[in-house]
Amino acid sequence: MTAPALPPTQGGDATTSPQRHGRLAAWLLSPTFLVLGLIVLYPLIASLRESLYRKEEGLDENGFVVEGDNFVGVENFAQMFQGDTADRFWNAFFNTTFFTVVGVTFATVLGVAMALVMHHALRGRGFVRASILVPWAVPTAMSAVLWQWIFQADGVANELLNTQILWTTEGFQAKIAVLIADVWKTAPFVGLLTLAGLQVIPNDVYEAARVDGASGWLQFWRITLPLVRPALMVAILFRVMDVLRIFDLPYVLIGPRKQSVETLSMLAFEEAGQTRYGPAAAYATMLFVYVALAAYAFVKLLGADLIGEARVRTKEAKKRQREVVAA
Amino acid sequence: MIAGARVRTAALLAVAALVLTACGDDGGDAGGGGGGGGGSTALEGRGPITFATGKDTSGNMQKLVDEWNADHPDEKVTITELPESADDQRNRMIQNAQTESDEFAVLNLDVIWTAEFAANRWITELPQGEFELDQFLAPAVETGKYRDKMYAMPVYSDGGLLFYRKDLLDAAGVTEAPKTWAELTAACDKVKAAPANKNIGCYAGQFDKYEGLTVNFSEAVQSAGGSIVDDSGKPTVTSQEAKDGLNFLVEAKKNGQIPEAAITYKEEEGRRAFQEGQLVFHRQWPYQYALANATDGSSKVANKFGVAPLPGKDGPGVSTLGGHNFAISSFAKNKATALDFIKYFASEDAQRSNLLATSQAPTRTALYEEQELITKFPYLPTLLASIENAVPRPRVVKYGDVTAAMQEAAYGAITGEKSTDEALETLQSELEKLTAE
């Protein structure tokens, strides 16, 4: 990663001073921030506020619901970790994490394999690419219905495996059914992003390796993988953030309120469905925090270079500033 | 560094947006001011109204509405079709009520939603005297009431029937459909004695973890003489009768009379199994009758089955009521028109046309006795017996939580994860919490 060559700056030149630049940029970006504030910040704050309230639950003597919202502080959050709801919450938390770790791992391995095939396919290249991308184009709820047909008691899965597994009942097999459907759908996405990364690797690197006598495996391990890493990391990060919110697959394929596959977003949906918006918002907020932490950790630990260029530019600017000051 | 931090904040906010879209923020304040209010407000105002309903699969609703519109040019009705799934319909109607919008005037409610909608003052009380209620099925009328006041008018009804393989019973020398569970088991054993039928399943209903399980579980409890809640609304699921009821399902599953796969059955999966000839007895809604009798090759049991009332522990069983009621949104304009429209849909002509077009069960008793209709739908007398004897599901405000608890208990017991006693005791304490006021 080399920084783009920047024109040398003269100290005191007002028109190109970084500060001027920044202010102009802020002005140009302000409409974007305004829109982001409206469609991102406002719902976020509204949802946070909602999570601190709870609806009246009692009935009056005529059997009518007593109306109004009560401020309950962090009680909606505290409730999550008490008694039965705690079991349910931790179970959902575990399921969510399990689907994320296992699902993303398989999707990545398969996706990279698909990308290599798409990259190397000489004949019928367009056809191979298009057919690999089909699962990604199917809406998730639709694919859940399709997989339901495959996994039903007298479905194709049991027919092919010659078994009588009841995939959609409680148990580990339900998790596997969800994972299979999820990986089938999302591996092409990873494959597509990886393919984009593969296509920018210059061919002469491989030629040099071949001249040096590197085997195919060594080329993949030492050249392809390191060079495709930035693109792959972005794909994985997107997948992680996506799977942490997984809802439609387990909900449609296996069914609501089945412990084996209940995830955090299903809990939030369930509460909202019973018009308990406070606890629902609390669950959604917890999920948000989890997703944000996971994304942050991912960027920090594995160095997914989402914001790499920006960082380089800032560093460069800082260096220049220091030079200016020193001069 | 500042720019970096800003970009990072933006990235995190983007994550937030994704989370929120996925979880369906309710978009605004829940609850809020009262307004509207149910109770004794007079139903006034005439003019155009909308009718919010689930999918009009046969097109007959539109036909009836067109006829109404031709007669009432100043009070035209527009159909607003809601999503196909019942939960989504309920969500849309609740959202409409919480924003106090007058978008929906007449609501097509599932029988189990009446209490929740009435208690929240989302629907208006209806004048009981104006409906000739004595000409309607009494249990169906009950489902439209909350605390003895009428909030919804039954338009469609439904009751469970026992579908049985007449050809197999005849071959095994059983001349009559079983009236008790013991007879059902004995008849099935006789059928299975023939080597060709060794692997056939005895009995199935709707046992996956969803509303159908609530129906089947409560039917089992009622058919053993028990009840889910008593007349005063107190839960009674730890009674011996309730245990006997659930035990019938648990035992039948354990000794293989209910096939393993039945635990994944909703209506359609069970129907496929019955039509494939994999079941001797099947608890199902009447809609299966026409489909299983189709002679286009889709059903292997066409003309080979009969229907009977559900069996019970010591005598005939007790079905759980299905169906739909029409109600008027508290926030609607033109409530007088809405009331007339409901009366029109509940009229004998409209119900007959509906039965003929959709085979949905009517709520007027007289239609079950019309010879012409019986010729077309031979199960009508059996269905009438089933519905007249039927019991509504618990009419409680927190029905969503109640049905979830019932499904949890029944599913745990039938799959053998919990003992019957354990499941019912947990259910009892949960129902006590949910029905406490």
Side-chain angles (χ1 to χ4, degrees):
Chain A
M1 278 273 166
T2 44
L6 291 158
T9 34
Q10 262 87 54
D13 185 347
T15 47
T16 54
S17 95
Q19 260 175 338
R20 239 333 145 77
H21 259 321
R23 217 170 295 146
L24 180 65
W27 270 109
L28 289 173
L29 285 173
S30 58
T32 317
F33 284 124
L34 192 72
V35 172
L36 274 180
L38 269 179
I39 62 170
V40 176
L41 207 57
Y42 171 71
L44 184 65
I45 291 170
S47 161
L48 267 175
R49 183 193 155 275
E50 187 75 54
S51 72
L52 303 178
Y53 284 81
R54 186 175 297 180
K55 203 177 60 169
E56 279 283 356
E57 294 224 304
L59 302 179
D60 62 19
E61 70 271 27
N62 293 321
F64 290 119
V65 170
V66 182
E67 300 203 12
D69 280 346
N70 290 333
F71 181 79
V72 292
V74 293
E75 207 185 300
N76 286 334
F77 291 94
Q79 282 266 308
M80 260 184 240
F81 303 104
Q82 282 166 14
D84 286 351
T85 35
D87 293 345
R88 213 172 160 197
F89 172 77
W90 287 117
N91 173 58
F93 184 82
F94 169 79
N95 283 342
T96 311
T97 314
F98 177 81
F99 286 142
T100 308
V101 173
V102 181
V104 171
T105 307
F106 277 101
T108 307
V109 173
L110 265 174
V112 170
M114 283 176 177
L116 290 175
V117 170
M118 287 192 274
H119 191 52
H120 288 288
L122 293 174
R123 227 175 295 159
R125 203 173 183 154
F127 179 75
V128 171
R129 281 185 200 176
S131 57
I132 284 182
L133 275 176
V134 166
W136 182 249
V138 179
T140 314
M142 290 299 148
S143 76
V145 174
L146 294 177
W147 282 98
Q148 205 178 22
W149 288 338
I150 294 175
F151 282 124
Q152 71 195 19
D154 54 353
V156 183
N158 279 339
E159 204 73 34
L160 283 180
L161 299 169
N162 205 10
T163 50
Q164 260 303 324
I165 300 172
L166 301 173
W167 296 93
T168 56
T169 54
E170 292 272 17
F172 192 68
Q173 76 280 5
K175 284 192 178 69
I176 295 184
V178 170
L179 279 174
I180 291 176
D182 185 49
V183 170
W184 172 81
K185 187 177 161 56
T186 60
F189 171 77
V190 179
L192 187 69
L193 286 192
T194 313
L195 178 65
L198 281 179
Q199 281 169 337
V200 298
I201 303 178
N203 222 9
D204 41 4
V205 190
Y206 288 106
E207 268 165 30
R210 267 198 297 277
V211 169
D212 287 347
S215 67
W217 179 246
L218 207 60
Q219 285 180 31
F220 172 74
W221 205 242
R222 289 287 171 79
I223 299 174
T224 314
L225 217 50
L227 287 179
V228 89
R229 193 182 123 115
L232 190 59
M233 281 300 162
V234 171
I236 296 178
L237 178 62
F238 271 45
R239 282 311 308 146
V240 167
M241 280 157 47
D242 241 6
V243 192
L244 283 174
R245 295 179 289 112
I246 190 168
F247 172 81
D248 27 15
L249 257 185
Y251 189 85
V252 179
L253 177 59
I254 308 296
R257 291 192 306 277
K258 289 199 178 141
Q259 283 148 19
S260 322
V261 296
E262 191 163 61
T263 62
L264 287 172
S265 47
M266 285 164 87
L267 275 184
F269 178 83
E270 189 79 17
E271 289 296 301
Q274 302 307 330
T275 65
R276 286 188 293 262
Y277 299 119
Y283 278 120
T285 305
M286 282 307 280
L287 179 58
F288 162 68
V289 170
Y290 187 31
V291 174
L293 283 178
Y296 185 74
F298 199 86
V299 171
K300 273 278 155 194
L301 295 178
L302 296 172
D305 226 354
L306 271 185
I307 47 176
E309 247 172 72
R311 207 158 33 206
V312 170
R313 226 182 300 131
T314 345
K315 243 185 242 161
E316 208 62 39
K318 274 236 176 108
K319 216 168 92 192
R320 259 185 294 147
Q321 244 172 353
R322 265 200 304 275
E323 280 165 8
V324 171
V325 174
Chain B
M1 204 59 219
I2 297 163
R6 208 180 291 157
V7 174
R8 210 169 301 143
T9 323
L12 285 179
L13 289 175
V15 178
L18 293 171
V19 173
L20 288 166
T21 10
C23 300
D25 182 56
D26 64 304
D29 284 9
S40 53
T41 26
L43 300 175
E44 283 165 353
R46 293 198 171 271
I49 56 168
T50 51
F51 168 43
T53 174
K55 242 184 159 37
D56 177 18
T57 41
S58 68
N60 197 56
M61 260 178 199
Q62 187 62 55
K63 197 185 126 230
L64 287 172
V65 166
D66 287 344
E67 280 168 24
W68 162 276
N69 287 345
D71 291 343
H72 302 80
D74 297 328
E75 298 172 65
K76 278 206 158 69
V77 174
T78 324
I79 292 184
T80 307
E81 260 190 48
L82 302 180
E84 206 171 331
S85 112
D87 283 339
D88 292 341
Q89 290 167 25
R90 176 175 157 272
N91 284 344
R92 283 282 283 121
M93 291 184 194
I94 291 179
Q95 276 167 19
N96 182 68
Q98 281 179 335
T99 53
E100 299 183 12
S101 147
D102 59 2
E103 191 191 337
F104 301 158
V106 176
L107 305 176
N108 184 354
L109 299 179
D110 195 307
V111 287
I112 52 184
W113 301 336
T114 311
E116 183 185 17
F117 276 69
N120 280 293
R121 297 188 174 89
W122 294 332
I123 50 180
T124 310
E125 192 188 337
L126 301 177
Q128 294 200 35
E130 294 187 31
F131 280 103
E132 310 165 311
L133 287 180
D134 53 328
Q135 297 185 23
F136 289 82
L137 299 161
V141 171
E142 280 305 303
T143 63
K145 288 186 180 170
Y146 177 67
R147 304 239 168 167
D148 287 329
K149 287 181 184 156
M150 182 175 164
Y151 285 91
M153 181 65 203
V155 173
Y156 307 108
S157 190
D158 225 345
L161 296 174
L162 182 72
F163 284 73
Y164 63 95
R165 287 288 299 280
K166 203 166 172 5
D167 58 331
L168 296 182
L169 291 194
D170 284 346
V174 183
T175 51
E176 249 187 354
K179 289 194 181 62
T180 65
W181 292 332
E183 284 175 29
L184 182 139
T185 318
C188 182
D189 286 344
K190 280 187 193 160
V191 169
K192 286 182 98 164
N197 300 328
K198 217 175 61 181
N199 292 322
I200 201 165
C202 270
Y203 178 75
Q206 292 77 44
F207 302 136
D208 198 359
K209 201 179 196 176
Y210 78 118
E211 188 62 30
L213 183 59
T214 302
V215 170
N216 279 259
F217 165 60
S218 53
E219 273 172 0
V221 169
Q222 291 151 15
S223 299
S227 60
I228 305 295
V229 292
D230 64 13
D231 291 338
S232 60
K234 297 260 175 314
T236 52
V237 290
T238 41
S239 68
Q240 188 55 44
E241 289 85 0
K243 283 178 191 166
D244 289 345
L246 182 53
N247 264 334
F248 162 65
L249 297 176
V250 171
E251 294 295 323
K253 170 74 182 9
K254 211 184 278 171
N255 57 32
Q257 283 156 344
I258 293 179
E260 281 291 323
I263 201 72
T264 66
Y265 286 178
K266 299 190 177 111
E267 279 86 358
E268 284 296 272
E269 287 87 351
R271 178 172 74 82
R272 274 200 300 271
F274 186 74
Q275 287 184 185
E276 286 293 311
Q278 293 165 5
L279 294 168
V280 185
F281 297 106
H282 187 209
R283 181 260 171 237
Q284 179 65 290
W285 306 100
Y287 87 99
Q288 177 166 283
Y289 196 90
L291 295 165
N293 248 340
T295 46
D296 59 356
S298 60
S299 169
K300 292 184 183 159
V301 297
N303 301 317
K304 288 183 186 165
F305 67 92
V307 289
L310 297 176
K313 183 165 171 277
D314 306 308
V318 180
S319 169
T320 291
L321 264 187
H324 277 84
N325 301 339
F326 286 11
I328 301 178
S329 161
S330 300
F331 313 103
K333 292 172 187 154
N334 304 329
K335 290 196 176 99
T337 303
L339 180 65
D340 282 354
F341 179 70
I342 293 179
K343 282 185 197 161
Y344 164 73
F345 241 87
S347 72
E348 204 168 298
D349 288 341
Q351 292 219 351
R352 184 183 298 108
S353 125
N354 227 334
L355 171 61
L356 288 169
T358 65
S359 76
Q360 271 171 313
T363 47
R364 278 187 181 264
T365 324
L367 291 173
Y368 289 84
E369 283 145 13
E370 259 178 42
Q371 202 47 54
E372 201 185 324
L373 293 173
I374 294 178
T375 329
K376 191 146 191 262
F377 305 102
Y379 57 84
L380 277 183
T382 318
L383 181 59
L384 177 65
S386 168
I387 295 179
E388 278 186 327
N389 201 12
V391 176
R393 277 161 274 176
R395 278 165 290 164
V396 288
V397 180
K398 292 182 191 165
Y399 183 78
D401 293 319
V402 167
T403 184
M406 285 167 70
Q407 290 165 31
E408 191 70 44
Y411 195 82
I414 295 175
T415 51
E417 213 164 278
K418 282 182 245 166
S419 73
T420 305
D421 287 352
E422 201 186 326
L424 289 179
E425 263 151 39
T426 318
L427 176 59
Q428 175 78 12
S429 68
E430 280 190 27
L431 290 185
E432 273 166 9
K433 260 185 268 163
L434 290 169
T435 51
E437 274 148 30

